[in-house]
Amino acid sequence: MILAFDTSCDDTSAACFVDNNRYSNIVSSQNDIHAKYGGIMPEMAARRHIEVIGYLTKEALERVSASISDVDYVAATVGPGLLPSLLIGVSFAKGLAYANKKPIIPINHIEGHLFAPFFDKKLTFPFVALIVSGGHTHLFAVRDVGSYELVGKTLDDAVGEAFDKVARILNVGYPGGPVIDRLSKSGNPDRFNIPMGLDKKKSLDFSFSGTKTFVKNLVNNHPNLSKTDICDIAASFQKASVDILWKKTKRACNLYGINKIAVSGGVSANSYLRESFTKNAKKDGIEIFLPSKEMTTDNALMIAFIASLKIDTATFDYGLIEANPRLKFY
Ligand code: KG4
Ligand code: ZN
């Protein structure tokens, strides 16, 4: 049994994992705190992590009818993320592991996202991984656990960041991704031709910073946007971003001779992305792996799952486990 924690950013999460029939995954959202600022306040996030992490741990254990003595390993996200937030989860996990004489497995948050699509499916290699979150838009050729070749990435904003910024420009709420997703359902995705940078023949890199300038100009030039206009802008932006993600992911498959794609990170919750990737993959004879909805955004179950694939890195040398906001894994 692995007891895992994720406090990389604004949500607090604790999970217990034995196998995909016996697990728990408790997430406490902080949207109520940060919504009024339109972005995450790191010190406030850390303070809320401290308040709730003990309760979440208790609940994660209770949901699988276990107590701390049943736990074999403790796992925690050590980076990347916000330092004040990471420090809470890492310190809590270390304290708990030390007091109960359990080995600890340090986990990279992004590596957690990367394997989340395989939680309830058979894991085979190689596959192309597209990681789309608030901080990442990365394409990897994955050949094994620990063997990640970075083949493309955003040169400026991450796609989740672009969703959040466009939502802020349209003044429709926070966090932006889910709001844009919802508004797009009643919008016309073909009304505005929103340009996507770096659409060059061989490039596997992305650029999303021009998008927000385009939307900003659109809004500035039309101060009295109707509800319909806003939905049309949201839908057009969503389609343009997701279509370029598909184009480059498929290009990566062709260039590297791989016919499997795993998409992960918060933006993989997007309904248009899930539909269009599934449809396009079927048409092109590519196998697609998407995480369950609860495994798309930040959660500790994905941390427990990757920990189960890296049991050999467990250590009693607690001094080695440190938060690192800029931790890399490739
Ligand atoms: O992976 P995640 O929970 O946190 C990071 O590690 O960044 O991703 C958060 C990002 C945010 O930018 C959020 O707006 C986006 O994922 N997101 C979505 C949706 N749900 C969350 N973007 C588009 N559509 C969604 N349904
Ligand atoms: Zn994340």
Side-chain angles (χ1 to χ4, degrees):
M1 178 180 289
I2 299 174
L3 172 61
F5 300 98
D6 184 84
T7 62
S8 55
C9 195
D10 59 336
D11 291 340
T12 324
S13 183
C16 260
F17 172 63
V18 180
D19 56 39
N20 59 17
N21 289 310
R22 189 174 172 216
Y23 63 87
S24 60
N25 191 19
I26 319 290
V27 182
S28 168
S29 159
Q30 297 190 359
N31 287 346
D32 59 322
I33 304 180
H34 308 292
K36 58 176 172 288
Y37 302 102
I40 298 162
M41 299 284 117
E43 297 298 335
M44 293 171 95
R47 236 170 287 152
R48 177 65 77 84
H49 287 314
I50 298 178
E51 282 164 24
V52 301
I53 196 164
Y55 296 106
L56 299 193
T57 307
K58 201 162 167 271
E59 195 171 339
L61 287 165
E62 272 170 18
R63 292 248 181 122
V64 294
S65 309
S67 68
I68 188 72
S69 58
D70 301 314
V71 171
D72 300 302
Y73 300 91
V74 173
T77 295
V78 292
L82 302 170
L83 183 61
S85 291
L86 287 167
L87 282 171
I88 309 305
V90 172
S91 311
F92 187 84
K94 277 166 77 169
L96 197 70
Y98 177 74
N100 293 282
K101 301 189 176 56
K102 310 286 180 191
I104 188 163
I105 306 172
I107 295 296
N108 182 302
H109 179 79
I110 306 303
E111 205 175 1
H113 276 302
L114 201 155
F115 285 93
F118 297 98
F119 175 70
D120 47 3
K121 292 164 209 107
K122 191 170 159 40
L123 172 63
T124 55
F125 300 97
F127 59 88
V128 167
L130 170 69
I131 305 183
V132 277
S133 72
H136 287 77
T137 307
H138 283 46
L139 272 171
F140 294 96
V142 180
R143 298 194 175 83
D144 204 342
V145 176
S147 169
Y148 317 117
E149 184 185 351
L150 179 68
V151 299
K153 67 173 175 17
T154 180
L155 301 182
D156 39 60
D157 291 355
V159 64
E161 194 180 353
F163 269 82
D164 294 334
K165 285 180 178 169
V166 165
R168 211 174 302 149
I169 296 166
L170 294 175
N171 199 19
V172 289
Y174 170 90
V179 184
I180 298 276
D181 193 343
R182 186 167 42 77
L183 295 176
S184 298
K185 292 203 163 76
S186 32
N188 172 6
D190 300 315
R191 177 158 160 211
F192 299 101
N193 186 14
I194 301 195
M196 281 294 148
L198 294 179
D199 196 7
K200 290 192 215 92
K201 265 213 169 98
K202 285 208 174 119
S203 167
L204 293 176
D205 290 330
F206 302 93
S207 169
F208 290 99
S209 69
T211 317
K212 63 170 192 283
T213 317
F214 182 90
V215 175
K216 203 183 241 165
N217 290 338
L218 200 63
V219 172
N220 287 344
N221 295 334
H222 303 86
N224 296 315
L225 291 175
S226 68
K227 180 91 206 268
T228 308
D229 294 333
I230 288 179
C231 291
D232 290 351
I233 296 172
S236 302
F237 159 73
Q238 177 178 273
K239 181 171 190 300
S241 338
V242 170
D243 288 355
I244 197 85
L245 289 173
W246 169 257
K247 199 167 175 177
K248 306 252 168 149
T249 309
K250 191 188 156 202
R251 190 177 287 169
C253 285
N254 291 342
L255 286 173
Y256 288 84
I258 295 174
N259 72 344
K260 273 186 290 188
I261 293 173
V263 193
S264 57
V267 183
S268 68
N270 184 267
S271 10
Y272 174 70
L273 181 148
R274 296 175 80 91
E275 261 167 48
S276 73
F277 268 57
T278 305
K279 201 174 72 204
N280 290 336
K282 195 167 172 201
K283 193 172 79 219
D284 292 331
I286 294 172
E287 204 176 346
I288 185 97
F289 295 84
L290 292 164
S292 66
K293 277 276 176 85
E294 78 164 331
M295 293 276 269
T296 55
T297 45
D298 292 351
N299 69 90
L301 185 57
M302 71 183 192
I303 303 305
F305 181 58
I306 178 64
S308 75
L309 305 173
K310 304 186 79 166
I311 289 289
D312 56 328
T313 62
T315 178
F316 283 97
D317 201 342
Y318 306 112
L320 293 177
I321 313 289
E322 274 185 44
N324 179 355
R326 279 173 292 281
L327 185 67
K328 293 223 160 183
F329 75 105
Y330 57 87

